[in-house]
């Protein structure tokens, strides 16, 4: 929204409004997902070789009443955390978080951004990554690795096969001690 329209909507509807680049947008709660309601159906389809598109956009946030009924709530479920939860619950070997950036970068907006090839789950300072961008991806990847002992990777969709071999993107793994930068051996 423009600033004037955002202010009007904030007053008229009681919305929380935040700046987003040069525009303004409505801010809603972004809780971490607790479960994937259709997990058994997703698991069944995946076990039969069906490619299942799920938790897109994080899924639809709902809550359950005391009598078991579900109703929608005004929130946004983070897609990266939803994907990590789904991968854990399905017992996935890898968590791939595919995006339009080729890898995680240290000093992303600085004078000398450096591509991270691999990191252990404690090797990156999450406070140095943007909350609405790379930070949730890293949080989700690190949580997946810590809770499962498996590997996660962040990189471009076009590089998905190369991510699995560590030839592209950033791999997060328990086996990595310290950061390995892409331009370093």
């Amino acid at each position: 929204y423009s600033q004037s329209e955002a202010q009007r909507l904030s007053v008229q509807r009681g919305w929380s409004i935040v700046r987003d680049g040069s525009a303004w947008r409505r801010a809603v709660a972004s809780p971490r997902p607790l479960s994937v309601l259709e997990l058994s159906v997703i698991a069944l389809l995946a076990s039969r070789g069906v490619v299942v598109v799920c938790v897109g956009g994080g899924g639809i946030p709902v809550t359950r009443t005391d009598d078991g009924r579900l109703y929608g709530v005004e929130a946004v479920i983070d897609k990266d955390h939803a994907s990590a939860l789904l991968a854990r619950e399905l017992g996935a070997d890898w968590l791939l978080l595919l995006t339009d950036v080729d890898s995680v970068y240290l000093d992303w907006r600085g004078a000398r951004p450096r591509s991270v090839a691999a990191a252990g789950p404690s090797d990156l300072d999450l406070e140095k990554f943007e909350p609405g961008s790379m930070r949730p991806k890293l949080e989700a990847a690190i949580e997946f690795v810590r809770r499962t002992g498996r590997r996660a990777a962040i990189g471009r969709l076009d590089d998905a096969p190369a991510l699995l071999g560590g030839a592209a993107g950033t791999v997060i793994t328990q086996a990595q001690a310290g950061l390995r930068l892409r331009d370093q051996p």
Side-chain angles (χ1 to χ4, degrees):
Y1 302 107
S2 67
Q3 185 174 6
S4 62
E5 187 174 9
Q7 288 172 339
R8 179 184 62 74
L9 289 169
S10 176
V11 170
Q12 183 181 46
R13 298 185 181 172
W15 288 357
S16 295
I17 302 287
V18 296
R19 183 178 208 105
D20 187 3
S22 62
W24 296 79
R25 66 174 174 84
R26 181 179 181 199
V28 296
S30 183
R32 288 209 180 188
L34 301 177
S35 65
V36 177
L37 297 180
E38 298 84 6
L39 181 65
S40 62
V41 174
I42 295 167
L44 174 67
L45 291 169
S47 73
R48 301 244 167 105
V50 176
V51 175
V52 185
V53 178
C54 47
V55 301
I60 299 169
V62 296
T63 191
R64 192 177 300 274
T65 62
D66 290 339
D67 66 1
R69 288 182 294 143
L70 297 174
Y71 67 93
V73 295
E74 290 191 4
V76 175
I77 301 296
D78 181 82
K79 64 186 174 297
D80 301 312
H81 289 289
S83 297
L85 173 62
L86 180 64
R88 281 195 323 269
E89 290 187 352
L90 289 175
D93 295 326
W94 278 83
L95 170 64
L96 297 183
L97 296 169
L98 305 174
T99 185
D100 61 350
V101 178
D102 66 337
S103 67
V104 173
Y105 281 84
L106 301 177
D107 198 26
W108 171 249
R109 298 202 188 279
R112 293 178 26 154
R114 295 163 293 156
S115 172
V116 177
S122 300
D123 294 331
L124 295 163
D125 179 0
L126 295 177
E127 295 300 315
K128 295 188 177 183
F129 296 91
E130 293 182 25
S133 182
M134 193 54 72
R135 188 183 305 171
K137 289 175 183 13
L138 283 167
E139 289 170 345
I142 289 167
E143 184 176 352
F144 176 81
V145 170
R146 283 185 173 149
R147 291 182 74 170
T148 67
R150 297 184 186 107
R151 294 175 283 182
I154 301 170
R156 276 197 299 252
L157 173 62
D158 293 347
D159 293 336
L163 291 170
L164 296 173
T170 299
V171 174
I172 309 290
T173 176
Q174 296 281 18
Q176 181 67 34
L179 292 175
R180 184 167 54 85
L181 300 180
R182 179 75 43 214
D183 44 308
Q184 293 182 342

